[in-house]
Amino acid sequence: MKTLDRRLASPWRRSALAALAGALPVLAYPAPALWWWAYVALVPWLLLARAAPTGRRALYDGWSGGFGFMLALHHWLLPDLNVFTLVIAALLGVLWAPWAWLAHRYLAAGAGASRARVVVALLVLPSAWLAVELVRSWQGLGGPWGMLGSTQWQVAPALRLASIGGVWLLSFLVVAVNVAAAVLVAVPSSRAPAVAGLVATAAATSAAWVWAPRPDGDGRTRIAVVQPGVIDGVDRRFDREEQLTRRLAGQGVDLVVWGESSVGYDLAARPDLAGRLAALSRSTGADILVNVDARRSDRPGIYKSSILVGPQGPTGDRYDKMRLVPFGEYIPARSLLGWATSVGKAAGEDRRRGAEQVVMHAGPGLRIGPMVCFETAFPDMSRHLADDGADVLVAQSSTSSFQRSWAPAQHASLGALRAAETGRPFVHATLTGVSAVYDAGGRRLGARVGTSASTAAVYEVPLAHGVTPYVRFGDWPVHGSLLVLVALGLTEGARALRPRRSAPGPLAPPARTVRESPARPGR
């Protein structure tokens, strides 16, 4: 133990250890998908912050751990962004500095980790983590990719909880369990509130499993996903997608979905391609949802647009992607950060944003809510589409630049969470895999289409109706967490401003009374 303390005395060694501790949760995400690991993955990081010699050192532990977490979570960006990946991880890592400081304040032995402080920590630390996820969910900072609660995408009770409070509620509970585990390890005298916290989490999960409303069945539809695979050249890709779609003739499909950037030309400027798509729609008996990545002929700039094509050509339903990928599709503050194009594969020209979400009418009575690429990471987008009447959520994506990384599996897993949150089936169609379809409860339907496949797959998708608590009430766990932090700030501020009574000085010794002796009569 003394040897470890001496090693941790070095700021650089301690920072390296904090970065390693922060990187540990990544094993809970796909592709490793060790979902159970998420419930203890933060414990080393918490113990390190707790043992920090000062609050200032705990801030550095939080920053270093946040750097390790963001770098491990986005390591697959290194080939494209190179050194800029490290810069982004270092900048976003700062967000976890206050979280580690709070862990030090309420769990450190020197601060007297009493039972009352542990109870506060069980509430404050998960709330602070949600505040971090809220800030980094801003599109300009990269969006909510890799929220801690998303590690639970394949756990049925967790998906039921997601229908109540979204992925936010899952993140809160996962962090709370980690805090309780850290207390059980390091604060034996305060184990009672930690155990009570674990029991409360188990009780909440059980109650959600029993009482949370389940989506009501409402018919079925057949949806086909066309995944051409890795093909160089937009013309060759279109030819392969056309070939695969022809195979769907006679299979009774209601909708055919192509992946992101499946068409490389504006259909208004290429009536020949629009005609070929209309012919495919007639032969399959289904509308086709394509994604056009091209410069538009009716307005300036490049857009990524989901366009529905029917037997007579484009139906007029169009959705222009609203939330673009930083550096991949635009460069924030290009005048300052434009140099990123010289060190990686950053966007040479900014894509243009759409103005609003759209619910499309595909075929008889089927309403679909399209999203493009990493928009599926934003819980509010799918929630709004479900609230606007979408029967099926459809995501068109492409992770072809990251085929041999964890990115395709991570991206596909998000569909399970969005389905469970909204009570709507979710179709995740990609150019190069992983493509997958989920029912309204977040359970995967059929087999997923991996990154090595070039095929068209048909899925029997059960429809559902009804409104989940998450769609109805929104991000209430975030709002509650912010209220907790505000209350904490007001309490701490009032305590700091409270005048301190000066300590009483030592009591002065009682004055000695000199008694005069009575005069004696002279002799």
Side-chain angles (χ1 to χ4, degrees):
M1 183 63 70
K2 291 182 179 180
T3 302
L4 179 61
D5 291 340
R6 284 197 299 269
R7 290 179 178 177
L8 291 180
S10 167
W12 291 106
R13 289 177 180 174
R14 188 180 182 94
S15 296
L17 185 60
L20 178 60
L24 290 178
V26 76
L27 298 176
Y29 295 87
L34 303 176
W35 62 267
W36 51 268
W37 175 245
Y39 292 96
V40 294
L42 299 179
V43 171
W45 193 1
L46 286 166
L47 295 181
L48 190 65
R50 175 185 181 272
T54 63
R56 183 176 180 180
R57 181 61 246 184
L59 288 171
Y60 285 114
D61 291 341
W63 185 1
S64 301
F67 169 79
F69 177 69
M70 295 305 294
L71 182 61
L73 191 63
H74 299 93
H75 69 275
W76 40 270
L77 288 174
L78 281 167
D80 279 9
L81 295 183
N82 298 326
V83 68
F84 211 77
T85 308
L86 303 177
V87 176
I88 294 173
L91 291 175
L92 294 181
V94 177
L95 296 175
W96 277 270
W99 179 78
W101 181 86
L102 288 170
H104 174 75
R105 177 168 177 77
Y106 288 99
L107 296 179
S114 63
R115 293 185 178 184
R117 282 182 171 270
V118 169
V119 171
V120 173
L122 288 169
L123 189 60
V124 167
L125 291 179
S127 298
W129 186 280
L130 254 63
V132 173
E133 290 196 335
L134 176 65
V135 173
R136 78 179 185 90
S137 293
W138 180 48
Q139 178 196 337
L141 294 180
W145 184 280
M147 294 174 68
L148 192 59
S150 65
T151 60
Q152 307 304 296
W153 67 278
Q154 55 187 334
V155 183
L159 292 174
R160 190 67 56 80
L161 283 170
S163 72
I164 298 174
V167 69
W168 306 101
L169 180 57
L170 300 184
S171 290
F172 185 96
L173 294 178
V174 168
V175 177
V177 171
N178 274 274
V179 174
V183 171
L184 291 175
V185 170
V187 193
S189 61
S190 299
R191 286 175 176 170
V195 172
L198 293 175
V199 171
T201 301
T205 304
S206 301
W209 180 260
V210 174
W211 299 108
R214 291 170 169 80
D216 297 322
D218 193 19
R220 307 179 78 83
T221 187
R222 286 173 64 83
I223 298 178
V225 171
V226 173
Q227 180 177 300
V230 180
I231 298 175
D232 292 330
V234 294
D235 295 314
R236 293 181 58 209
R237 182 189 304 138
F238 188 95
D239 292 343
R240 178 57 176 165
E241 291 163 332
E242 184 180 36
Q243 180 186 27
L244 292 171
T245 304
R246 284 201 194 100
R247 298 178 184 177
L248 298 172
Q251 296 194 38
V253 295
D254 301 306
L255 177 68
V256 179
V257 184
W258 289 14
E260 179 187 10
S261 304
S262 49
V263 178
Y265 304 97
D266 180 36
L267 292 179
R270 291 292 302 271
D272 57 323
L273 296 182
R276 288 165 67 180
L277 288 168
L280 289 174
S281 176
R282 291 191 294 269
S283 66
T284 59
D287 289 346
I288 302 174
L289 185 69
V290 301
N291 187 268
V292 175
D293 184 2
R295 193 176 301 277
R296 289 181 62 163
S297 57
D298 59 340
R299 63 181 63 177
I302 302 174
Y303 288 80
K304 281 193 175 182
S305 305
S306 300
I307 297 177
L308 194 64
V309 180
Q312 307 305 320
T315 65
D317 284 330
R318 180 188 190 113
Y319 166 65
D320 296 322
K321 185 178 181 181
M322 296 171 59
R323 296 181 180 171
L324 305 177
V325 180
F327 299 98
E329 294 171 338
Y330 80 104
I331 296 181
R334 182 177 285 271
S335 59
L336 296 176
L337 303 177
W339 57 270
T341 58
S342 63
V343 297
K345 300 177 182 178
E349 178 181 350
D350 292 348
R351 299 294 196 273
R352 301 296 180 93
R353 305 176 191 276
E356 61 182 0
Q357 292 186 268
V358 176
V359 174
M360 301 179 178
H361 295 266
L366 183 64
R367 294 164 299 183
I368 63 173
M371 290 174 283
V372 184
C373 191
F374 97 137
E375 288 182 331
T376 62
F378 293 85
D380 65 304
M381 297 199 72
S382 55
R383 179 166 62 87
H384 291 154
L385 287 171
D387 195 39
D388 288 342
D391 299 314
V392 181
L393 304 176
V394 180
Q396 298 171 293
S397 179
S398 172
T399 51
S400 54
S401 300
F402 314 105
Q403 282 299 92
R404 290 178 174 82
S405 73
W406 294 352
Q410 286 186 25
H411 203 175
S413 71
L414 296 176
L417 290 161
R418 303 294 88 87
E421 290 169 343
T422 59
R424 296 293 182 270
F426 193 101
V427 176
H428 183 78
T430 71
L431 286 183
T432 60
V434 173
S435 296
V437 178
Y438 303 91
D439 70 7
R443 294 176 295 271
R444 195 174 67 200
L445 298 172
R448 70 176 192 171
V449 184
T451 54
S452 61
S454 175
T455 187
V458 179
Y459 296 88
E460 192 83 17
V461 181
L463 300 177
H465 67 272
V467 179
T468 64
Y470 177 67
V471 171
R472 185 181 301 276
F473 300 112
D475 301 328
W476 61 265
V478 179
H479 304 151
S481 295
L482 294 178
L483 287 176
V484 167
L485 296 177
V486 169
L488 177 71
L490 293 175
T491 302
E492 292 291 339
R495 185 177 300 169
L497 295 174
R498 186 182 304 162
R500 297 182 179 180
R501 295 180 179 178
S502 57
L507 294 176
R512 297 180 62 182
T513 303
V514 179
R515 299 177 62 183
E516 294 184 359
S517 301
R520 295 182 179 180
R523 293 183 178 178

